[in-house]
Amino acid sequence: MKINPNTKTEITFEDFKTEVISDYKLAVTSRECSLLGRREVLTGKAKFGIFGDGKEVPQIAWAKAFNNGDFRSGYYRDQTFMMAIGQLTIEQFFAGLYANTDLKEEPMSAGRQMGGHFATHSLDENGNWKNLTEQKNSSADISPTAGQMPRLLGLAQASKIYRNVEGIDTTNFSKEGNEIAWGTIGNASTSEGLFFETINAAGVLQVPMVISVWDDEYGISVHAKHQTTKENISEILKGFQRDDNSNGYEIFRVNGWNYAELIDTYQRAAKVARKEHVPVMIHVQELTQPQGHSTSGSHERYKNEERLAWEAEYDCNAQMRQWMIDNNIATDEELVAIEKDIKKAVRDGKKAAWSSFINPIKEEKQEALSLIESVANTSANSVFISKLKNDLEAIDEPLRKDILSTARKTLRYVVSENSNEKLALQNWINSYIEKIQPKYSSHLYSESKHKAEFQKEILPTYNGDTTEVDGRVILRDNFEAIFNKYPEALVFGEDAGHIGDVNQGLEGLQEKFGELRVSDAGIREATILGQGIGMAMRGLRPIAEIQYLDYILYALQIMSDDLATVQYRTKGRQKAPLIVRTRGHRLEGIWHSGSQMGGILNLIRGIHVLVPRNMTKAAGFYNTLLESDEPALIVECLNGYRLKEKMPSNIGEFKTPIGVVETIKQGEDITLVSYGSTLRLVEQAAKELQEVGIDAEIIDVQSLLPFDLDHDIVKSVAKTNRVMVIDEDVKGGASAYILDQILNEQNAFQYLDSQPKTLAAKPHRPAYGTDGDYFSKPSVEDIFEAVYDVMHEANPSDFPKLR
């Protein structure tokens, strides 16, 4: 499948002819896959189809300019390109359509994503980096429109870092920063904010990025006149064109059916981006989409007869075919023979892919049927069980759902019976789930030896003459140690560079390490995240700073849909160990108060969420994560930067463990659980409770994802028999999550003598000012009274009602 462009400066006509015919064969093969793929969906063998038909010829031209070490960040129309670089066979195309869970058969995502989502393997089976400079790379696709754009920026920026920052071991990642990050997007998706944000940022950063806009005039059924000003994205972006006096883009326009011009355009674009590190946009116009947007509907519903006739004439494959005939490269008869052979090859590949998918499931079906039949033969309910068996047996092409559902329902009919046959079925069901479930659920987090949970705690050490300093000084000195220890580490964000962040945690570090490693960024949170994702995918260790927790909302879609799913959607064959740094807690006013934690916890599973109570703990988390291969969000306490902490003597070396709670006060009467800045209020309330005879134990969660892996909280509850979770987030947010973990994961309910309680903020954002904070979020008095009420209910004589 892979194309082998002839790179000789002078080639014979026969060589040229051979290359063109090879390209046409590839274009026809990809088209036949699309056509047959649609039929497979409509016959029910596949669930959904979205294909790259109409974009074959420009993608072949693109592949000729794509070198080893380069990266793709595209969307779900790029199948021809993946075939052209040798990373997608006919069988693999259909394996993706059928959702084959075998990574060897379906290397893009092992059936976790629908067809059309493409990836190469950056990691080996043990989670270690492969040599990315020796292969052509595709970062794993996501479906959200324009969601691939922020990551594209980071993939391109990595080349700039590798070219200009000394001391990094580039062996597996770069050859002098010569790699291009290639992006693709549909013309309609250029209306998304993520597109414009990325285009602007790449122009500012001047990175080797080439973005192809596939323009077929429609976004599903909506014409370009409803999508884009002037109906032309390159026209309205003309102001980005660079000139002699200013940086910017090179912008090319080319018709998507013109084979020769496409090849020339992509070669010129690659030369500019690779050598000069200048971003390029290629507006590929006059494309078609022969089967419409997807298998969900027909484009005849929204395209008139004139448009459909034009598309038939200017289909890129049809135009290339006619061009070959006109230029004596092939005759019509020769091309008909080629096309006939390709149709057969695609049908054969489809059949092979289906057999590879269905045959293992059929074997599993037979195992289940044998066991179910044995149960029926010994059961008083054999009539009912036999019906289940017969229904399953009648399914010629079963799914695993059919098999397991039938086996589990069988057990209901023998729930009161005892037999060896029943036991055998029970054991088979349990082992089947244990075997099959990981095919759909593994690798949400790393499963390598570098997993964050495996990093052992190293406590801070202190000299006898230890001084107390502002917490931000500990962070600053720890970051300096990090940048000295890890040449591949860098930090960037709003105000992170010149002034050393708004709280001076990076004070003076830009002067020491340079503007590429400690960088200011524009007000553009989504692409700050994207920079981090892309660079982390290429072996760098970025720390992306989002100035306040509230601003995470701008980047939450990227965190949720892209970063959090990298390991999962590639079944452990790509990773992006990005650290997202932000600050929050106990802020005043609607827009700096934050009540996002409940959403964050549920939307970014796959990313660790760490909530240190002070800067020493935060520094320890950074040190831990840089030894691991997983992404994380660290929320520093905004009101902790100026609070005094002891300066550790082992700065840069101590580690805060992931998923481990800390008991910061022992007690006998009730367990109080909290995190971050709120702990200071809890500690004060505990002192005041002690004065009235209530001895509270205080536990700092520290790590929300993962949560209390050692189940230390339930051990505390077993001692105190009472628990309360205190949180400044709104009710139903993090407090509900924590309580669910304590009750349902740790089974603490069995030790409770009082109702478990949560104390959270009012359901609105805090009003501005100190009084707004006091009346909106839990205060010391709120905590005191809530705990006191629990003790009053348990022992009203010793603790009379307060109010």
Side-chain angles (χ1 to χ4, degrees), residues 32-49 51 93-94 97-98 291 295 346-347 350-351 353-354 397:
E32 287 300 318
C33 285
S34 295
L35 296 173
L36 191 52
R38 181 180 179 85
R39 287 199 287 273
E40 290 297 277
V41 173
L42 297 180
T43 59
K45 282 188 174 179
K47 295 284 287 186
F48 180 77
F51 305 112
F93 172 88
F94 284 101
L97 199 63
Y98 302 140
Q291 298 186 110
T295 54
V346 171
R347 286 197 302 270
K350 185 266 296 183
K351 291 176 183 176
W354 179 250
E397 295 175 337

Side-chain angles (χ1 to χ4, degrees), residues 28 84 128 183 197-198 232 296 309 408 416 508 518 552 563 655 782:
V28 174
N128 299 312
E197 189 172 318
T198 302
N232 190 313
S296 293
R408 294 167 76 178
S416 300
V518 184
I552 283 285
L563 180 60
K655 297 180 183 177
D782 291 332

Side-chain angles (χ1 to χ4, degrees), residues 5 90 114 129 222 275 339 384 411 482 492 537 648 666 802:
I90 296 170
M114 69 180 74
W129 288 110
V222 180
K275 181 179 179 181
E339 291 154 2
F384 303 104
L411 288 180
I482 283 172
F492 47 91
M537 282 184 156
Q666 296 286 340
L802 271 176

